[in-house]
């Protein structure tokens, strides 16, 4: 139920005036529900804008709103608020209907909009590291959420498979006369070679020239280079697949549409941009100068699409990709889950594609960047020796830590259960700790906090869920045969209003691509429920209260389960 938007719309209708622009109506939840469940907060602003006295305006709103079914009581509150109490019968009715629905669903729009979500998208010359966690799991949660609210979601793993990293590896192996050994190299060996090649590339002009040569060869389908290139990618993809499976990521092979996918489009786009006089050739390089973006020297920003005799660069690939997504895939919206350092890159790509008419204003493009994971000392999260932490190692560690935690609580648990449970708990913990932070800011990664039963953690939510399951089990009889909910105290009403807000939160989170809003919500729901559980009798209460409280508990369990599911976190029925 989008309760606040219902209240807003109603009020909007009441105050509507011809020739006056609509004003945003602010409805907030009251902290203390004794003063009303919701509050109209900007009465003063409305009266000013519509030129009606406060008194007249509030009288009008109160009079018209009090006839609505949804409202029990509505009153003015000093200095200039209106407090709204929801109707108990209406609320009960809503809960009873929700209870009967098998699945938690959203009302879907008739015409499905297409959203492309570009996430994870790792570079194929090295294994995934902790820096890939955020894009992978926030992107995946958003994909689940968008699908849930009715979008046609196209997940895309735009892997980095067409840049000069492959030219570097080949050039380095050729230089060391080790190219024949390529198939014997492990991922970590390859990565070491890539690092060494990168250092050489920075200081050795001749080597740089070779790198360009091999990268261009790959891009032009040269047979022997292509084979090596394919092999490196296969090796990395295999490892990444393992990681996705462990992390419960919905990306499949068919979602891999990497840079190289656009290769046939690139020469034509280059030509077209030159013909349209958007790109120019300067010293052999093909460049677009953008008037509205300045570089550090204050001159028009130059975006290089291709260097003289060099391979196609990252920028032109993304321009082609944008065109493809708009013209062929017919996307209404594209969301990029890519780290904040690429903000300018996306801005440039967007401007060029727009200039060239590859896209129009109809498409919405959003770069959902995110902050970094930091250590307790506020520095980037790295190993003791200062190396980047591999994502696979982080996952393994989380599983091990969860194992130790479980064994502390339950020494007799059988091995099979222990293995299953430690995966759910360990992986759930790292995912939740990341998803529960606002993606825009950096956050400190702290194992103790992540695997704690207290605070906004996955363990706390899971624990509440299990508590509800065992309560319902204890009841022994079928709760679906019970009579309907009838609310009798303020705590029950408070919980009911929280239940009511679920869909509103989902919509809000989908709009901003911020799953942490769902985390905050299910955490609040869990803690309000826990207080309720400790304060009130449930199974030992009188019959009417027992029914209501059991059913409310059931509904909360249903929401917690759905919430975790939308975040891509597996749930456990025991601990
Ligand atoms: N491969 C890039 C990287 O590792 C991210 C790609 C993001 N997506 C895109 N369409 N550029 O930084």
């Amino acid at each position: 139920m989008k309760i606040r938007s219902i209240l807003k719309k109603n009020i909007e209708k009441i105050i509507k005036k011809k020739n006056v622009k609509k004003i945003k109506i602010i409805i907030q939840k009251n902290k203390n529900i004794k003063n009303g469940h919701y509050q109209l907060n900007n009465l003063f602003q409305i009266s000013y804008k519509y030129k009606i006295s406060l008194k007249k305006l509030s009288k009008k709103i109160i009079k018209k709103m009090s006839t609505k079914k949804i409202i029990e009581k509505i009153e003015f509150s000093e200095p200039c608020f209106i407090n709204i109490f929801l109707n108990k019968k209406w609320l009960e009715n809503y809960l009873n209907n929700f209870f009967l629905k098998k699945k938690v669903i959203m009302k879907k729009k008739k015409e499905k909009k297409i959203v492309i979500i570009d996430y994870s998208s790792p570079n194929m010359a090295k294994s995934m590291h902790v820096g890939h966690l955020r894009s992978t799991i926030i992107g995946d949660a958003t994909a689940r959420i968008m699908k849930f609210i009715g979008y046609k979601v196209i997940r895309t793993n735009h892997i980095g498979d067409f840049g000069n990293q492959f030219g570097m590896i080949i050039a380095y192996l050729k230089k060391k006369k080790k190219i024949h050994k390529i198939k014997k190299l492990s991922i970590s060996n390859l990565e070491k070679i890539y690092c060494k090649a990168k250092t050489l590339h920075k200081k050795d002009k001749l080597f740089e020239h070779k790198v360009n040569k091999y990268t261009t060869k790959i891009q032009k389908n040269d047979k022997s280079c292509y084979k090596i290139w394919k092999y490196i990618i296969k090796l990395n993809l295999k490892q990444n697949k393992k990681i996705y499976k462990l992390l419960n990521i919905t990306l499949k092979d068919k979602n891999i549409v990497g840079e190289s996918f656009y290769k046939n489009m690139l020469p034509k786009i280059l030509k077209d941009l030159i013909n349209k006089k958007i790109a120019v050739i300067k010293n052999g390089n093909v460049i677009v100068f953008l008037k509205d973006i300045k570089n550090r020297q204050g001159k028009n920003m130059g975006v290089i699409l291709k260097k003289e005799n060099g391979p196609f660069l990252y920028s032109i690939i993304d321009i082609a990709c944008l065109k493809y997504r708009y013209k062929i895939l017919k996307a209404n919206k594209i969301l990029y889950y890519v780290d904040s350092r690429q903000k300018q890159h996306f801005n440039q790509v967007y401007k060029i594609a727009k200039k060239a008419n590859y896209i129009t204003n109809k498409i919405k493009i959003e770069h959902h960047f995110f902050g970094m994971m930091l250590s307790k000392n506020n520095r980037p999260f790295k190993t003791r020796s200062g190396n980047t932490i591999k994502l696979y190692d982080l996952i393994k560690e989380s599983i091990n830590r969860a194992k130790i935690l479980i064994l502390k609580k339950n020494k007799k648990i059988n091995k099979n259960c222990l293995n299953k449970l430690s995966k759910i708990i360990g992986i759930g913990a790292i995912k939740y700790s990341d998803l529960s932070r606002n993606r825009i800011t950096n956050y400190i990664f702290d194992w103790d906090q992540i695997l704690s039963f207290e605070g906004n953690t996955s363990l706390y939510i899971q624990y509440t869920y299990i508590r509800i399951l065992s309560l319902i089990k204890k009841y022994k009889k079928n709760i679906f045969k019970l009579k309907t909910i009838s609310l009798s105290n303020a705590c029950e009403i408070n919980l009911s209003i929280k239940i009511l807000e679920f869909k509103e939160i989902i919509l809000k989170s989908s709009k901003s691509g911020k799953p942490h809003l769902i985390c905050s919500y299910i955490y609040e729901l869990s803690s309000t429920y826990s207080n309720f559980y400790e304060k009130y009798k449930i199974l030992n209460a009188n019959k009417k209260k027992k029914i209501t409280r059991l059913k409310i508990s059931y509904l909360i369990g249903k929401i917690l389960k759905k919430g975790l599911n939308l975040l891509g976190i597996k749930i456990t029925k025991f601990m």
Side-chain angles (χ1 to χ4, degrees):
M1 174 68 57
K2 291 172 263 173
I3 178 72
R4 283 199 297 183
S5 54
I6 293 179
L7 294 172
K8 273 184 208 172
K9 270 189 197 138
N10 274 310
I11 296 178
E12 231 162 50
K13 256 193 214 154
I14 295 170
I15 61 170
K16 200 167 73 184
K17 240 185 165 183
K18 264 188 199 156
N19 306 326
V20 184
K21 233 176 125 194
K22 254 203 221 163
I23 184 164
K24 200 175 157 197
I25 287 165
I26 302 173
I27 302 269
Q28 257 164 19
K29 221 179 133 191
N30 261 338
K31 285 216 169 72
N32 186 353
I33 63 166
K34 277 194 192 122
N35 300 330
H37 307 130
Y38 289 93
Q39 183 170 75
L40 171 64
N41 275 69
N42 59 336
L43 194 62
F44 183 74
Q45 209 188 353
I46 303 169
S47 88
Y48 182 78
K49 174 108 192 222
Y50 287 89
K51 297 192 175 64
I52 322 178
S53 75
L54 257 182
K55 211 172 169 188
K56 238 181 164 174
L57 177 69
S58 55
K59 254 194 173 162
K60 187 173 173 190
I61 294 176
I62 289 171
K63 189 174 164 212
K64 296 235 163 117
M65 284 295 277
S66 51
T67 60
K68 310 269 176 214
K69 241 186 10 204
I70 186 170
I71 281 170
E72 175 111 25
K73 194 165 86 178
I74 176 161
E75 59 193 18
F76 180 79
S77 152
E78 291 292 350
C80 52
F81 303 112
I82 289 181
N83 284 333
I84 301 167
F85 294 79
L86 296 184
N87 178 288
K88 209 171 70 142
K89 279 266 156 326
W90 177 86
L91 199 55
E92 288 167 351
N93 202 13
Y94 174 80
L95 295 178
N96 284 319
N97 279 335
F98 189 14
F99 185 83
L100 291 176
K101 289 208 178 97
K102 265 208 187 107
K103 272 183 167 177
V104 186
I105 44 167
M106 297 281 267
K107 227 190 203 158
K108 309 255 153 97
K109 291 206 176 78
K110 260 188 225 132
E111 190 206 354
K112 273 196 177 182
K113 292 238 158 116
I114 298 174
V115 59
I116 294 180
I117 309 184
D118 182 324
Y119 67 103
S120 195
S121 310
N123 175 348
M124 284 292 117
K126 25 181 207 183
S127 42
M128 286 171 81
H129 54 81
V130 289
H132 292 108
L133 183 71
R134 305 211 78 187
S135 167
T136 306
I137 65 178
I138 306 176
D140 201 58
T142 308
R144 291 168 187 263
I145 296 165
M146 298 295 267
K147 185 167 175 231
F148 179 66
I149 65 169
Y151 274 90
K152 178 171 190 271
V153 175
I154 302 181
R155 295 164 166 83
T156 296
N157 193 356
H158 186 90
I159 56 171
D161 64 355
F162 221 43
N164 66 4
Q165 62 269 49
F166 303 94
M168 284 194 206
I169 293 175
I170 296 177
Y172 193 85
L173 286 172
K174 292 241 181 193
K175 188 177 160 79
K176 298 284 170 195
K177 304 206 166 19
K178 283 189 180 154
I179 195 77
H180 58 285
K181 285 195 176 160
I182 179 98
K183 295 221 166 168
K184 292 206 176 82
L185 296 175
S186 65
I187 294 190
S188 64
N189 282 335
L190 263 174
E191 202 167 331
K192 277 180 199 144
I193 289 168
Y194 173 46
C195 283
K196 284 184 190 161
K198 236 167 128 177
T199 320
L200 200 59
H201 183 252
K202 271 189 202 139
K203 53 185 188 199
D204 184 338
K205 275 270 166 240
L206 187 69
F207 186 71
E208 189 188 327
H209 179 72
K210 287 260 157 74
V211 169
N212 274 347
K213 182 176 115 185
Y214 289 119
T215 311
T216 310
K217 275 190 166 194
I218 295 169
Q219 293 193 352
K220 288 192 170 153
N221 290 337
D222 170 273
K223 240 190 186 163
S224 73
C225 284
Y226 181 83
K227 255 190 181 163
I228 299 168
W229 171 77
K230 204 83 209 160
Y231 173 75
I232 300 172
I233 288 170
K234 206 171 127 193
L235 206 63
N236 271 292
L237 281 181
K238 202 170 142 198
Q239 168 79 0
N240 292 355
K241 215 168 153 175
K242 228 157 101 183
I243 292 176
Y244 292 150
K245 186 154 185 241
L246 278 167
L247 284 178
N248 193 23
I249 297 301
T250 49
L251 282 171
K252 299 280 173 306
D253 286 347
K254 65 168 192 231
N255 304 118
I256 299 173
V257 187
E259 295 167 354
S260 64
F261 177 82
Y262 304 96
K263 68 178 171 198
N264 294 335
M265 289 173 75
L266 302 176
K268 277 183 219 151
I269 289 201
L270 197 70
K271 235 188 194 166
D272 187 45
L273 291 175
I274 296 170
N275 283 344
K276 286 180 176 154
K277 300 208 163 42
I278 295 170
V280 292
I281 303 171
K282 206 175 166 190
N283 305 328
N285 302 331
V286 186
I287 310 181
V288 178
F289 287 100
L290 290 168
K291 273 193 206 118
D292 31 8
I293 312 183
K294 300 274 182 243
N295 64 15
R296 276 196 211 131
Q297 288 82 35
K299 292 193 176 143
N300 291 346
M301 171 69 79
V303 183
I304 307 180
L305 306 178
K306 188 179 174 303
K307 286 195 176 161
E308 188 177 23
N309 299 323
F312 289 104
L313 298 181
Y314 189 52
S315 49
I316 188 165
I317 297 175
D318 260 324
I319 295 169
C321 168
L322 201 49
K323 182 176 180 194
Y324 181 82
R325 287 174 178 177
Y326 182 64
K327 299 239 153 128
I328 310 291
L329 298 180
K330 310 254 178 278
N332 300 98
K333 202 172 186 170
I334 304 178
L335 308 178
Y336 292 94
Y337 283 87
V338 185
D339 106 42
S340 53
R341 285 168 294 188
Q342 296 197 29
K343 213 170 175 174
Q344 191 168 57
H345 161 76
F346 287 117
N347 196 3
Q348 294 164 348
V349 164
Y350 174 76
K351 291 219 156 105
I352 298 171
K354 187 81 196 303
K355 255 186 167 175
N357 277 328
Y358 297 159
I359 53 170
T360 68
N361 273 339
K362 270 197 223 147
I363 186 167
K364 275 199 187 140
I365 295 175
E366 292 169 22
H367 175 198
H368 288 177
F369 56 89
F370 38 81
M372 283 199 297
M373 266 164 92
L374 302 176
S375 296
K376 273 187 193 165
N377 59 9
N378 258 324
R379 306 278 286 275
F381 188 55
K382 290 200 164 160
T383 62
R384 282 215 181 111
S385 51
N387 294 322
T388 42
I389 298 172
K390 302 263 175 276
L391 194 46
Y392 190 66
D393 294 341
L394 183 87
I395 296 171
K396 270 198 320 207
E397 176 156 4
S398 75
I399 298 173
N400 275 336
R401 284 182 184 253
K403 217 174 245 176
I404 295 168
L405 187 76
I406 297 163
L407 281 172
K408 251 194 216 162
K409 303 226 172 238
N410 180 359
K411 289 195 179 60
K412 287 184 197 137
I413 187 168
N414 86 42
K415 217 173 162 190
N416 210 354
C417 274
L418 177 66
N419 285 339
K420 261 194 196 156
L421 198 57
S422 47
K423 261 192 196 164
I424 297 180
I425 303 260
I427 292 168
I430 34 176
K431 283 187 84 171
Y432 190 90
S433 97
D434 193 299
L435 292 167
S436 60
R437 320 298 165 110
N438 189 334
R439 68 169 161 76
I440 290 176
T441 46
N442 296 341
Y443 79 92
I444 289 170
F445 186 90
D446 170 9
W447 283 114
D448 296 330
Q449 187 271 330
I450 287 169
L451 278 162
S452 162
F453 279 92
E454 274 157 44
N456 187 5
T457 66
S458 66
L459 278 173
Y460 184 74
I461 314 276
Q462 300 255 12
Y463 180 73
T464 314
Y465 179 70
I466 291 172
R467 202 176 219 187
I468 291 172
L469 285 190
S470 71
L471 175 79
I472 289 168
K473 205 167 153 196
K474 253 196 206 151
Y475 175 65
K476 288 199 179 91
K477 285 181 243 163
N478 185 352
I479 63 165
F480 284 91
K481 292 201 174 135
L482 289 173
K483 288 222 173 70
T484 52
I485 290 173
S486 103
L487 303 165
S488 61
N489 74 23
C491 280
E492 289 168 4
I493 294 183
N494 195 16
L495 273 173
S496 309
I497 289 178
K498 280 218 151 47
I499 292 174
L500 201 66
E501 282 168 338
F502 174 65
K503 290 182 181 171
E504 191 177 288
I505 298 286
I506 302 288
L507 285 175
K508 209 167 154 193
S509 139
S510 73
K511 254 195 190 142
S512 53
K514 288 182 174 173
H516 81 273
L517 297 171
I518 298 182
C519 296
S520 309
Y521 167 76
I522 56 174
Y523 170 57
E524 249 180 59
L525 187 67
S526 300
S527 64
T528 315
Y529 179 75
S530 297
N531 290 338
F532 176 79
Y533 182 92
E534 266 142 37
K535 197 166 162 195
Y536 292 96
K537 288 179 190 165
I538 299 183
L539 291 177
N540 295 326
N542 70 36
K543 198 168 170 199
K544 203 167 129 196
K545 284 187 177 149
K546 180 162 75 182
I547 294 172
T548 297
R549 292 174 185 176
L550 266 170
K551 286 194 160 184
I552 289 183
S553 303
Y554 173 84
L555 284 176
I556 290 175
K558 203 160 145 174
I559 290 182
L560 294 182
K561 188 174 169 189
K562 188 71 210 172
L564 287 176
N565 168 269
L566 288 174
L567 296 168
I569 293 174
K570 287 191 179 159
I571 206 157
T572 165
K573 290 189 175 152
F574 66 97
M575 226 190 265

